[in-house]
Amino acid sequence: MKSQVKELPLPAFYRASHAGAYGYSPNAGVLQTEAMTWSAANGLSPAATDRFNLHLLLIDVQKDFCFPEGSLYVAGRSGQGAIDDSRRIAEFVYRNLGVLSNVTTTLDTHFAYQIFFPSFWVDENGQMLTPYREVTREQIERGQARPNPAVAKWLCGGNYPWLLKQVKYYCDELERAGKYTLYLWPPHCLLGSDGHALAGVVQEARLFHAFARGAQSWCEVKGGNPLTENYSVLRPEVLSRHDGQPLAQRNTQFLKTLLTADAVVIAGQAASHCVKSSIDDLLSEIVAQDAALARKVYLLTDCMSSVTVPDGKGGFAADFTPQAEAALQRFADAGMHLVKSTDPLANWTDLRIG
């Protein structure tokens, strides 16, 4: 049996061109008024009355990732990756607003000194390291990379030997898990910066959904711990310190929220990193509980792109597209559905809304 889902028209105020406008910011007050009128015209009911809980998870659709003006633009191989993704995400929300019960956006949230930023590290000459490079335990042992002594005072009471042990342990844990080697990114999504904000066209769509359906504009903040990466919204990369004390915690409450939804739709940035890690952690929990739950997860493959680093010669110094493609295949093999935002929900396999 297929779902009976009515697709809705795009609101009159929507402009697809705003997906490429870094400075675009919607007026929440105007949106609220528009949403009330549009909801009544389309006969929408409050999300709280939905018998089928369809939860849309949008990962890190923030300005630093979604625009060339951002510090870590996710261009994909096309060069237009995140811009096109944001447009398709917004249009997906509008067309399916009548059946989307909840929309949660994650916010990658960082400070000036974090273990994955160059500012956290210096070389053997005391010079700050450069972005787009790996840091390994071997490099630390050789003195080629070491924690910036300036951070020790506020981070660990000035105990530099403790900090040195911790970063070595951290690299060991990453390598033991086999997921990532510590990679240094340029500063991005700094709390208080313009780049931390959601792309305007996505912010507009999520607020319009909230006002039109009486649903909260949920957010999940991640990434503030200076001693661990936090690609996934569900857990940081490393949970413990070298001395056995806890370093960070899993996001068990949000995990429960996703697992109790009737269906979960996932999109965002970047397919090769934060999206991939979040789905990996969700799948691990699903496998531990009931592998059949994977069938209620839908991945919008045309609403996510991979990190690419141009080499200035028309090619890429780094291209993480193959890792993203391999992960998507693995998720599909586990039972998750690969879909496009333009595919009518009525045609989605295993979706039983109506």
Side-chain angles (χ1 to χ4, degrees), residues 326-348:
L328 286 173
Q329 185 58 56
R330 180 161 46 82
F331 300 145
D333 291 342
M336 295 181 175
H337 302 280
L338 306 186
V339 295
K340 292 187 180 300
S341 63
T342 51
D343 296 337
L345 265 61
N347 295 338
W348 287 16

Side-chain angles (χ1 to χ4, degrees), residues 52-57 254-266 279 282-283 285-287 289-300 331-332 334-339 348-353:
F52 188 96
N53 179 5
L54 181 60
H55 197 130
L56 174 62
L57 172 59
F254 187 57
L255 177 61
K256 180 180 179 182
T257 296
L258 295 179
L259 290 177
T260 54
D262 293 305
V264 177
V265 183
I266 301 176
I279 301 171
L282 178 60
L283 180 57
E285 191 66 29
I286 284 173
V287 170
Q289 292 193 23
D290 179 1
L293 293 174
R295 293 200 296 270
K296 72 175 185 177
V297 180
Y298 298 81
L299 312 180
L300 296 180
F331 300 145
M336 295 181 175
H337 302 280
L338 306 186
V339 295
W348 287 16
T349 304
D350 292 329
L351 195 66
R352 301 289 184 265
I353 294 178

Side-chain angles (χ1 to χ4, degrees), residues 142-180:
R142 292 178 177 177
Q144 297 169 335
R146 55 192 177 92
N148 186 340
V151 309
K153 176 71 173 178
W154 57 262
L155 184 55
C156 55
N159 189 343
Y160 193 77
W162 183 95
L163 181 57
L164 196 58
K165 288 180 181 178
Q166 178 58 33
V167 296
K168 290 178 182 177
Y169 171 81
Y170 184 81
C171 288
D172 285 343
E173 286 296 287
L174 287 182
E175 292 163 21
R176 183 185 62 80
K179 291 170 61 176
Y180 296 103

Side-chain angles (χ1 to χ4, degrees), residues 167-331:
V167 296
K168 290 178 182 177
Y169 171 81
Y170 184 81
C171 288
D172 285 343
E173 286 296 287
L174 287 182
E175 292 163 21
R176 183 185 62 80
K179 291 170 61 176
Y180 296 103
T181 300
L182 177 58
Y183 195 80
L184 301 189
W185 302 102
H188 60 274
C189 296
L190 298 177
L191 187 60
S193 72
D194 290 343
H196 181 262
L198 294 170
V201 74
V202 175
Q203 169 75 339
E204 183 174 62
R206 69 185 280 267
L207 287 181
F208 191 74
H209 169 269
F211 292 137
R213 307 248 13 240
Q216 187 56 284
S217 54
W218 302 113
C219 279
E220 290 290 325
V221 176
K222 67 182 181 69
N225 191 315
L227 286 173
T228 179
E229 298 151 291
N230 210 147
Y231 292 110
S232 169
V233 66
L234 298 176
R235 56 162 288 166
E237 294 300 312
V238 175
L239 296 172
S240 64
R241 306 187 326 194
H242 73 275
D243 55 12
Q245 295 299 308
L247 175 63
Q249 295 180 334
R250 296 164 69 242
N251 191 345
T252 54
Q253 186 57 50
F254 187 57
L255 177 61
K256 180 180 179 182
T257 296
L258 295 179
L259 290 177
T260 54
D262 293 305
V264 177
V265 183
I266 301 176
Q269 306 305 338
S272 52
H273 288 79
C274 294
V275 173
K276 171 179 171 290
S277 287
S278 296
I279 301 171
D280 261 326
D281 287 339
L282 178 60
L283 180 57
S284 293
E285 191 66 29
I286 284 173
V287 170
Q289 292 193 23
D290 179 1
L293 293 174
R295 293 200 296 270
K296 72 175 185 177
V297 180
Y298 298 81
L299 312 180
L300 296 180
T301 59
D302 63 338
C303 293
M304 56 181 74
S305 295
S306 296
V307 172
T308 54
V309 182
D311 62 5
K313 303 174 184 177
F316 300 109
D319 180 2
F320 293 91
T321 305
Q323 290 90 324
E325 292 174 343
L328 286 173
Q329 185 58 56
R330 180 161 46 82
F331 300 145

Side-chain angles (χ1 to χ4, degrees), residues 60-63 105-107 196-200 202-203 206 219:
D60 297 2
V61 279
Q62 295 162 268
K63 288 187 174 183
T105 49
T106 71
L107 290 172
H196 181 262
L198 294 170
V202 175
Q203 169 75 339
R206 69 185 280 267
C219 279

